[in-house]
Structure formats: C-alpha cells, structure tokens
Amino acid sequence: MRVLILTQYFTPEITAAPLRLHPFAKGLADRGHEVTVISETPSHPGGTVLPGYGGRIVDRRQLDGFRQLYVATYASPRRTAVRRLSSYASYAGAALATASLMRRPDVVLASS
C-alpha cells in the first residue's frame, strides 16, 4: 500500500508530531508499505533552517525505510502572526505541489 504522510514538522525537529509520526512511518515501512513523508525543511522552533538542510526546493532523503521529502518553506526567526501564517501557507502550497507530482497514494494521513 502507498501511504503519504503530510506533517509540517518532522524529524529532526523535536515536537510532538515527529515523535509520533516517525515511529508510525517506520512501522508501516517495516511491514512492507511504501511510505512517503512530506514536511517542511527543519526550522522549528528557531525559525532558521537547521545546518545540513535546505538549499533545495525538495530535499529527498531515506529515513528508516521510508522516503522523506523536505520542502522549502518560508522561515523567519521573528514570530509575528503574519510570518507564522506565511510559514503555514508556504508549507501547504509546497506540500500540495510536491504531492501532486507523485504517484497517487492509497492512503493520506495529514497531521496538524
């Protein structure tokens, strides 16, 4: 089964979403499912892209048997309401654009 997981925050960020979803994605992959996770390029909570990430529109990696796609988004260390909304909107647009270019999944799990 092809599974697509959409989550703004993912490994290596330390928030609730990656702590739940990374083991879930790994478990599905271990059972033979084709899993893809689309998240933003890691920049939480500081608002700056973590070293070793970024520089590409889509950064493709393999993690624990599943495919991880980090998409470029708006990130800013200054946290105003407009900048937070810009970050959320840029992730939604980038994730939608990336997912639309992929083979259609059987299941989509979206985490907010």
Side-chain angles (χ1 to χ4, degrees):
M1 178 170 43
R2 285 184 308 280
V3 180
L4 173 61
I5 299 174
L6 300 169
T7 179
Q8 188 160 4
Y9 306 116
F10 200 70
T11 306
E13 297 171 322
I14 301 174
T15 62
L19 294 176
R20 285 189 314 266
L21 294 175
H22 190 128
F24 185 73
K26 180 183 183 321
L28 289 172
D30 288 348
R31 288 165 180 78
H33 300 287
E34 181 183 318
V35 180
T36 301
V37 178
I38 300 177
S39 67
E40 71 173 31
T41 300
S43 64
H44 185 73
T48 56
V49 174
L50 297 179
Y53 295 89
R56 297 183 202 136
I57 293 172
V58 179
D59 183 359
R60 293 169 175 83
R61 299 187 182 210
Q62 281 294 128
L63 298 176
D64 292 331
F66 60 89
R67 184 167 63 156
Q68 170 63 44
L69 305 177
Y70 294 107
V71 295
T73 59
Y74 173 77
S76 173
R78 294 184 45 211
R79 289 299 201 186
T80 64
V82 170
R83 289 182 177 176
R84 283 182 76 97
L85 288 173
S86 296
S87 173
Y88 298 150
S90 67
Y91 169 71
L96 179 62
T98 302
S100 70
L101 298 173
M102 296 172 45
R103 189 171 167 208
R104 185 175 178 176
D106 297 309
V107 176
V108 176
L109 170 70
S111 175
S112 61

